[in-house]
Amino acid sequence: NDDAANMLATASLLRGAKALLGVELLPYNAYAGAKYALAGLIYDHDFQRPSDEALEEARRIFADAGIPATIR
């Protein structure tokens, strides 16, 4: 759900939200997988953190739609 088409669709959906103050873009956190071992589970996901360029592109898509976006 982090490609440009998805971000454009999300921005389009949110554009009319009157109470929306902005969005926060939360890149994948690889350390989250450590919790699985603590719970006795196996973590077998191969997610990658988006590049800084990809995050900035997502921020720009929302900004162009008039929606403030913060990268966390």
mmCIF file of all heavy atoms in Angstrom, residues 6 24 53:
data_model
loop_
_atom_site.group_PDB
_atom_site.id
_atom_site.type_symbol
_atom_site.label_atom_id
_atom_site.label_comp_id
_atom_site.label_asym_id
_atom_site.label_seq_id
_atom_site.Cartn_x
_atom_site.Cartn_y
_atom_site.Cartn_z
ATOM 1 N N ASN A 6 -1.550 4.134 -4.847
ATOM 2 C CA ASN A 6 -2.288 4.006 -3.600
ATOM 3 C C ASN A 6 -2.299 5.336 -2.839
ATOM 4 O O ASN A 6 -3.320 5.731 -2.275
ATOM 5 C CB ASN A 6 -1.675 2.900 -2.747
ATOM 6 C CG ASN A 6 -2.511 2.586 -1.537
ATOM 7 O OD1 ASN A 6 -2.588 3.389 -0.615
ATOM 8 N ND2 ASN A 6 -3.119 1.419 -1.533
ATOM 9 N N GLU A 24 0.109 11.250 8.952
ATOM 10 C CA GLU A 24 1.456 10.882 9.372
ATOM 11 C C GLU A 24 1.865 9.651 8.573
ATOM 12 O O GLU A 24 1.152 8.656 8.554
ATOM 13 C CB GLU A 24 1.501 10.589 10.868
ATOM 14 C CG GLU A 24 1.240 11.816 11.703
ATOM 15 C CD GLU A 24 1.401 11.563 13.192
ATOM 16 O OE1 GLU A 24 1.779 10.435 13.583
ATOM 17 O OE2 GLU A 24 1.152 12.496 13.951
ATOM 18 N N GLU A 53 13.503 8.777 -0.594
ATOM 19 C CA GLU A 53 12.897 9.372 -1.785
ATOM 20 C C GLU A 53 11.432 8.967 -1.920
ATOM 21 O O GLU A 53 10.579 9.785 -2.272
ATOM 22 C CB GLU A 53 13.676 8.967 -3.041
ATOM 23 C CG GLU A 53 15.076 9.525 -3.112
ATOM 24 C CD GLU A 53 16.101 8.743 -2.283
ATOM 25 O OE1 GLU A 53 15.807 7.589 -1.856
ATOM 26 O OE2 GLU A 53 17.174 9.298 -2.029
#
